[in-house]
Amino acid sequence: MEAILTECVQNSLRHFMYRNAIFMCERLCAEFPSETNSQLLAVCYLQNNQAYSAYHILKGNHMAHSRYLFAQSCFKMDLLNEAEAALCPPNESSAEIPNGAAGHYLLGLIYRCTDRRKSAIYHFNQALSLDPLLWAAYEELCILGAAEEAATVFGDAASLCIQKQHLPHGLGSKSMQASAEDQGLISSRNVGAEDLSPRHLKNIHGNSQRDAAGNYHSAPQPGGTGSQPLNGGPTTLSFYSTPSPMAAASQLSGVAPPPICRNMQINGPNSCATGADSSPRSTVNSTIQAPRRKFVDEGKLRKVSGRLFADSAPRRSIRLATGDSVANTNSNVSTVSGNGTNHSSKYLGGSKIATGSVRPVTGRKGQSWSNENFDEGIKHDGYDDSRNSSTTCSSPSSESRSLDQEGPTSAAGVCLSGSRVAVGASDLLALLRILGEGYRLSCGYRCQDALDVYVKLPQKQYNTGWVLSQVGKAYFEMVDYVEADHAFNLARLASPYSLEGMDVYSTVLYHLKEDMKLSYLAQELISTDRLAPQSWCAMGNCYSLQKDHETALKNFQRAVQLDSRFAYAHTLCGHEYVALEDFENGIKSYQSALRVDTRHYNAWYGLGMVYLRQEKFEFSEHHFRMAFQINPRSSVIMSYLGTALHALKRNKEALEIMEKAIMADKKNPLPLYQKANILVTMENFDGALEVLEELKEYAPRESSVYALMGRIYKRRDMYDKAMLHFGLALDMKPSATDVATIKAAIEKLHVPDEIEDNL
Amino acid sequence: MAESSEGEEEGKLVGGDQQLVVDDDLCEMAKKAAWSVSSCKPGNGVLSLRDDNLDTYWQSDGAQPHLVNIQFQKKLVVLYVDFKLDESYTPSKISIRAGDGFHNLKEIKAIELVKPAGWVYISLSGNDPRETFVNTFMLQIAILSNHLNGRDTHVRQIKVYGPRPNPIPHQAFQFTSREFITYSTVR
């Protein structure tokens, strides 16, 4: 009876019938109380977004997998201490971290959320070494600024690792490992900006057990979203793979419907895991319609759906607990043939997943990691709980398949030969390398380099939501809003339901003052997902553009409530407070943003501006300098740093920085203007006039240029010219205050400057 | 010598002035100010003057002149004062005074309204361009007499406008062209 019940529960989970699963599982636990069964029950609850139930069930359990699941529930409930204690018991320092890479990843996230940077970095690195396809871990490292070059991470060692994972061996292996790996792998791969859809698909798929072995081909690899090769096989995915919202299914979307996967079985819950739930992000593959589980937020179980495991199932062991969804689908990443990363981790042999235990399905929670092939890099914009985009690589089916299952994985009986795995692994890694490098560079704000790297991607990968929105972000950081708009537009076309990066898009439109487009975007995002912070950020930007700062502030506060780990929402709140002249709250908001992510240079900039306004120039200079260190290429930051130095009367240094700013971006007129200001203070009027003449060419309708020139001429006693320029300045329709100032200046033209207030 | 304020003649007021339209570079200044009135009828107090609701109004209940006092925490620059008026109890002579406190208020503007209906903009600028804005700690609006010599007065809303501060601190002039504005902030 136990076996029947177990099978029933797993079946229900696979088909997303949670109520049934929970009910049956409770009978199971009552009848045959055992830790494995309670794990199963916990998985059911996690899949159904009831982390609190899982929490209570698992409290106190000591099996590795239980601890992992427990940590996941705690993480979802924001009980970080307990989560940490579960994964890493304080009195057993040498205890092994449960679930291998997934556990390390979750632990890394916990450390990151509690500000312990070094430990976080250590664990992410561990996770990556255990599972080179754990893109999400790599992504987190990039965000923390501590990532190594992609080439080393996704290099040969990784290749060997993957191969090992995918060669069939013991099926039974608890998927856990596989999952972890899968997740890892997949994530990493996926992270690549996979094509939008494919990615998502992938992720989604990833989880879903694509067991469909063999056929995986589903993910038409490369581009394709690794749709998870649904392994036809019996992938009994019974795992409920952690609720990874993996919408594994979603993953499929987009890219080619899982090709030929023979068995495409979307293993149960796995697919679901596509984190879809969580943020509409990435998972939203438009095409993927996989049921987005709304788990997401919580369990970032990432299913590394990538797993193409064609073969049944080993899919994704329920990655359950794995944090962010690394849906390591067990997917045997078999033969990751090129496509996505095969997460084969789990594939241990066809592994009959069926083992009563829950196979950790690498569900990805929250993240829709791209299935296998595509690195779904679900890039979360925010620092959301790392939804790691587990880009599960869906391994190109065929190969995976063979690996996977011996069992039913129908994998069409494809025997994956070791060499196919190798080829697949290396292709996958090659893809991940590009994506990883690109992401790393863009996190370091070396945007032009990042763009050059992304261009190396194959067409189909490039045209995915993730990659295109990364490209958009890179242009945004380079203050090239027009190109950014273009890139984001393509991203929206490629994956209209993805919210990843849309907050940055809304800011781009804000800068371009396109209120129609911006309000359209905001409306669409809200109707797609009312619970995503990005939608409310876009809405807030819309109101802010119309100068309705109070409503904008309300919207941003909503975004903060929805996800307090989304740094950008805090920063935007700060901007609105400052616009309303509420500096205290503004400072608080900026500091919250920095608490979430110290490398968020916008918040440093915001603080610098506040102090500049309050005339606390020392503080202001310090903050601008911090922003400058994080993003040393931004000409805007440099010009403000120069302004602060000017205010501190350190004119020489100010001039140096201004020169750098001018060199950094020829199209930015501000540093030139500030340079002129500084020269005026240094009484170098000729120099200033020269600079202003140059500026006149560039921005002929800028009233402040003429006004400043007027002032200089007045100082030089060249009254005619001064009058001319003041007149021109007035013609350019400056603001009311300036009209008053300029008119007053005209009146007092013949009054010596010392008496003049302004000068 | 009462001068008519702009737009108070019926002809000018009808139409556009039913809605409050303000230039983009001005913003309402008196949100953080302390408002007080010389007298009021219960239920129609000073809150109604500031509640953004045109249906509620302040009604005075004492001897003329009726006073509305606005005290700012820091010196504010003020450009417009807007009244929303009623037909009955409508003020006809208004004097606006400014100063540091109750002890040294000085009249800066005196106007007479002729059949106003809707929003009345009272610009506080003097003729001198230097005096476009009034820099003051306190503003007092005194209603000296009403239409038809009524004793009490109704005022529905009063808003005080001044210039928006330069969004870019430490900058003498504000930017007007798109190229400058695009690069002027990081969001």
Side-chain angles (χ1 to χ4, degrees):
Chain A
M1 175 162 149
E2 182 171 4
I4 300 179
L5 272 175
T6 314
E7 175 66 36
C8 171
V9 171
Q10 293 179 345
N11 191 43
S12 304
L13 282 177
R14 213 176 314 159
H15 294 293
F16 309 108
M17 300 189 294
Y18 301 124
R19 282 180 67 82
N20 194 40
I22 290 174
F23 177 77
M24 282 303 182
C25 204
E26 210 180 344
R27 306 301 117 228
L28 174 66
C29 288
E31 195 74 29
F32 306 102
S34 79
E35 188 149 347
T36 343
N37 289 337
S38 48
Q39 277 178 16
L40 187 53
L41 182 55
V43 170
C44 295
Y45 278 122
L46 277 174
Q47 287 269 9
N48 195 27
N49 249 347
Q50 289 173 276
Y52 43 88
S53 314
Y55 173 83
H56 284 289
I57 294 173
L58 292 171
K59 193 158 187 139
N61 285 358
H62 290 300
M63 271 177 70
H65 190 45
S66 305
R67 286 193 297 152
Y68 181 75
L69 289 175
F70 181 62
Q72 271 287 359
S73 340
C74 292
F75 189 72
K76 282 200 180 182
M77 291 166 63
D78 245 357
L79 298 169
L80 297 177
N81 286 337
E82 300 199 34
E84 185 186 343
L87 285 176
C88 185
N91 38 0
E92 302 166 38
S93 50
S94 57
E96 183 147 333
I97 309 268
N99 275 27
H104 277 290
Y105 179 72
L106 180 56
L107 198 49
L109 281 178
I110 296 173
Y111 283 132
R112 188 172 146 247
C113 292
T114 48
D115 273 338
R116 280 171 285 176
R117 193 168 169 269
K118 290 220 167 53
S119 312
I121 293 175
Y122 169 73
H123 282 285
F124 287 133
N125 276 323
Q126 284 288 320
L128 268 178
S129 64
L130 284 173
D131 180 4
L133 293 180
L134 188 53
W135 170 266
Y138 187 68
E139 197 183 5
E140 290 295 329
L141 285 171
C142 291
I143 293 177
L144 287 171
E148 300 169 351
E149 277 201 34
T152 44
V153 172
F154 300 119
D156 299 326
S159 174
L160 289 172
C161 200
I162 300 176
Q163 292 176 43
K164 257 193 279 168
Q165 289 165 0
H166 289 281
L167 286 175
H169 36 155
L171 308 170
S173 48
K174 265 331 168 72
S175 18
M176 303 287 288
Q177 293 163 338
S179 336
E181 290 173 346
D182 292 0
Q183 290 183 336
L185 294 173
I186 310 218
S187 352
S188 25
R189 285 316 202 109
N190 290 333
V191 179
E194 298 241 337
D195 301 319
L196 307 174
S197 19
R199 267 213 297 193
H200 295 300
L201 289 179
K202 287 239 262 216
N203 292 335
I204 310 187
H205 303 306
N207 302 324
S208 10
Q209 319 317 338
R210 308 341 183 42
D211 292 315
N215 297 322
Y216 282 129
H217 294 295
S218 45
Q221 324 296 326
T225 37
S227 343
Q228 323 160 348
L230 296 179
N231 294 314
T235 54
T236 50
L237 292 186
S238 41
F239 308 105
Y240 325 119
S241 36
T242 52
S244 43
M246 285 257 327
S250 29
Q251 292 177 325
L252 295 176
S253 52
V255 187
I260 329 187
C261 298
R262 296 206 219 160
N263 306 299
M264 310 286 273
Q265 298 180 356
I266 302 228
N267 292 321
N270 297 333
S271 11
C272 318
T274 44
D277 303 326
S278 27
S279 32
R281 299 189 277 196
S282 38
T283 34
V284 191
N285 275 333
S286 34
T287 45
I288 308 182
Q289 310 317 337
R292 286 219 332 191
R293 301 245 206 133
K294 285 281 179 170
F295 307 119
V296 162
D297 294 321
E298 318 266 335
K300 296 243 222 127
L301 294 181
R302 294 189 349 84
K303 283 225 256 170
V304 187
S305 26
R307 321 274 37 247
L308 300 178
F309 309 114
D311 295 304
S312 35
R315 293 194 218 172
R316 311 344 170 134
S317 12
I318 311 196
R319 294 287 181 139
L320 309 179
T322 41
D324 305 36
S325 55
V326 185
N328 291 318
T329 40
N330 297 308
S331 37
N332 297 311
V333 185
S334 52
T335 67
V336 182
S337 29
N339 295 331
T341 44
N342 295 320
H343 298 284
S344 25
S345 28
K346 295 286 213 70
Y347 279 135
L348 310 183
S351 45
K352 292 327 212 55
I353 305 198
T355 43
S357 53
V358 180
R359 278 266 249 168
V361 186
T362 47
R364 273 213 277 169
K365 284 239 206 144
Q367 297 206 347
S368 39
W369 10 283
S370 29
N371 298 325
E372 320 180 306
N373 302 322
F374 305 98
D375 297 303
E376 253 194 16
I378 299 198
K379 295 293 269 73
H380 309 286
D381 283 330
Y383 300 102
D384 298 331
D385 300 36
S386 30
R387 300 298 184 127
N388 297 317
S389 25
S390 13
T391 44
T392 41
C393 302
S394 352
S395 28
S397 37
S398 41
E399 297 172 355
S400 345
R401 289 195 287 172
S402 27
L403 291 184
D404 294 16
Q405 332 279 335
E406 27 191 57
T409 54
S410 45
V414 177
C415 308
L416 292 168
S417 54
S419 62
R420 304 219 7 227
V421 178
V423 167
S426 65
D427 286 345
L428 182 52
L429 287 174
L431 186 59
L432 281 183
R433 238 172 297 178
I434 301 181
L435 292 167
E437 192 60 23
Y439 188 62
R440 190 179 70 92
L441 288 170
S442 66
C443 277
Y445 298 107
R446 287 161 54 186
C447 302
Q448 192 52 53
D449 298 336
L451 284 171
D452 295 335
V453 168
Y454 282 129
V455 163
K456 293 195 213 140
L457 281 173
Q459 231 358 13
K460 30 192 180 166
Q461 289 284 354
Y462 189 81
N463 285 332
T464 49
W466 192 86
V467 177
L468 286 168
S469 61
Q470 289 306 306
V471 168
K473 271 201 221 157
Y475 279 121
F476 167 72
E477 297 293 346
M478 296 199 304
V479 201
D480 185 350
Y481 298 128
V482 179
E483 281 294 335
D485 179 17
H486 183 63
F488 275 119
N489 215 4
L490 290 176
R492 294 250 346 125
L493 286 174
S495 108
Y497 290 97
S498 165
L499 264 65
E500 184 84 18
M502 288 305 131
D503 49 334
V504 178
Y505 187 26
S506 70
T507 305
V508 169
L509 290 174
Y510 171 90
H511 276 289
L512 289 172
K513 307 237 177 287
E514 299 254 17
D515 42 7
M516 281 268 291
K517 270 182 165 184
L518 179 53
S519 68
Y520 179 65
L521 175 71
Q523 296 285 355
E524 275 208 333
L525 292 178
I526 299 260
S527 67
T528 304
D529 186 358
R530 290 187 85 241
L531 297 177
Q534 289 94 340
S535 323
W536 294 105
C537 285
M539 204 47 134
N541 267 331
C542 195
Y543 281 107
S544 185
L545 185 58
Q546 299 172 2
K547 308 256 187 264
D548 183 355
H549 296 292
E550 281 157 355
T551 321
L553 180 61
K554 274 205 210 105
N555 283 312
F556 293 134
Q557 282 170 336
R558 261 184 220 162
V560 166
Q561 276 176 343
L562 285 169
D563 184 359
S564 58
R565 300 210 188 107
F566 189 51
Y568 198 41
H570 287 284
T571 309
L572 288 169
C573 274
H575 289 318
E576 294 305 315
Y577 275 125
V578 169
L580 290 170
E581 310 226 0
D582 183 354
F583 298 125
E584 223 186 278
N585 278 321
I587 292 180
K588 277 200 211 132
S589 298
Y590 289 131
Q591 286 172 343
S592 319
L594 286 174
R595 229 174 296 137
V596 172
D597 181 11
T598 8
R599 294 195 74 232
H600 193 56
Y601 76 92
N602 311 52
W604 286 111
Y605 159 86
L607 283 170
M609 289 292 270
V610 171
Y611 290 126
L612 192 60
R613 219 186 263 274
Q614 292 180 328
E615 315 232 331
K616 295 182 184 158
F617 299 125
E618 301 268 345
F619 285 177
S620 160
E621 191 248 337
H622 167 74
H623 287 95
F624 283 133
R625 207 172 273 286
M626 295 294 296
F628 175 62
Q629 279 166 0
I630 295 172
N631 183 356
R633 278 182 196 73
S634 164
S635 60
V636 181
I637 305 261
M638 282 193 262
S639 84
Y640 277 103
L641 182 53
T643 311
L645 286 168
H646 177 214
L648 285 170
K649 315 251 183 272
R650 283 148 68 174
N651 293 330
K652 272 198 72 198
E653 296 176 46
L655 268 180
E656 268 171 35
I657 296 264
M658 286 306 175
E659 287 297 334
K660 272 187 80 204
I662 297 172
M663 299 290 297
D665 185 357
K666 298 270 184 268
K667 292 191 281 171
N668 185 354
L670 233 64
L672 281 165
Y673 186 78
Q674 301 292 0
K675 180 176 170 197
N677 257 328
I678 301 175
L679 288 171
V680 168
T681 323
M682 291 168 58
E683 312 241 334
N684 177 357
F685 297 123
D686 290 328
L689 280 172
E690 235 181 85
V691 172
L692 287 171
E693 287 289 337
E694 213 184 301
L695 261 186
K696 250 202 317 188
E697 297 298 317
Y698 178 72
R701 305 201 61 80
E702 176 57 48
S703 111
S704 51
V705 172
Y706 294 110
L708 188 55
M709 288 177 88
R711 268 211 194 141
I712 299 178
Y713 284 126
K714 177 173 183 266
R715 297 276 294 261
R716 292 288 224 67
D717 294 332
M718 293 159 72
Y719 297 124
D720 295 336
K721 287 211 142 181
M723 193 59 158
L724 167 66
H725 283 94
F726 281 137
L728 282 170
L730 282 176
D731 282 342
M732 302 301 168
K733 308 233 184 312
S735 69
T737 344
D738 288 352
V739 168
T741 325
I742 296 173
K743 282 194 180 157
I746 294 181
E747 297 260 321
K748 297 206 232 150
L749 206 48
H750 296 274
V751 173
D753 278 336
E754 296 81 65
I755 312 186
E756 185 71 57
D757 295 334
N758 301 342
L759 286 181
Chain B
M1 14 74 256
E3 345 148 359
S4 323
S5 77
E6 319 95 20
E8 60 193 13
E9 290 110 53
E10 205 146 17
K12 284 204 204 150
L13 276 180
V14 173
D17 288 321
Q18 292 304 316
Q19 300 283 352
L20 181 56
V21 174
V22 188
D23 282 340
D24 222 13
D25 55 350
L26 298 177
C27 68
E28 224 265 332
M29 309 294 305
K31 295 208 184 86
K32 293 215 184 124
W35 290 70
S36 59
V37 293
S38 59
S39 61
C40 73
K41 203 167 140 240
N44 299 86
V46 68
L47 279 178
S48 319
L49 265 184
R50 299 291 299 160
D51 61 357
D52 273 336
N53 183 351
L54 296 178
D55 294 326
T56 58
Y57 51 82
W58 163 60
Q59 179 165 342
S60 64
D61 189 23
Q64 286 173 356
H66 307 298
L67 307 170
V68 178
N69 305 305
I70 311 167
Q71 282 169 297
F72 306 113
Q73 283 178 330
K74 41 180 191 177
K75 266 200 173 189
L76 271 199
V77 203
V78 176
L79 178 58
Y80 277 168
V81 173
D82 281 330
F83 275 74
K84 178 76 165 67
L85 304 170
D86 240 351
E87 282 175 10
S88 56
Y89 297 76
T90 304
S92 70
K93 275 217 190 97
I94 301 181
S95 156
I96 302 190
R97 304 148 183 185
D100 292 330
F102 284 104
H103 53 277
N104 67 351
L105 288 175
K106 198 181 81 132
E107 183 174 284
I108 55 171
K109 195 111 181 170
I111 55 169
E112 182 171 335
L113 305 181
V114 177
K115 295 212 205 121
W119 288 99
V120 175
Y121 302 98
I122 303 179
S123 163
L124 300 177
S125 339
N127 288 326
D128 193 339
R130 253 170 305 166
E131 285 176 20
T132 314
F133 301 114
V134 172
N135 222 339
T136 177
F137 272 109
M138 174 162 172
L139 208 56
Q140 184 182 71
I141 303 173
I143 300 173
L144 304 173
S145 70
N146 290 328
H147 242 64
L148 308 175
N149 288 324
R151 190 179 80 121
D152 287 324
T153 183
H154 273 181
V155 178
R156 288 178 180 262
Q157 279 289 290
I158 300 184
K159 284 190 187 287
V160 177
Y161 284 94
R164 263 184 214 282
N166 191 343
I168 299 145
H170 209 65
Q171 183 85 320
F173 300 108
Q174 298 188 19
F175 294 136
T176 55
S177 67
R178 196 148 166 272
E179 297 89 350
F180 271 74
I181 295 179
T182 309
Y183 284 96
S184 64
T185 56
V186 168
R187 189 158 171 86

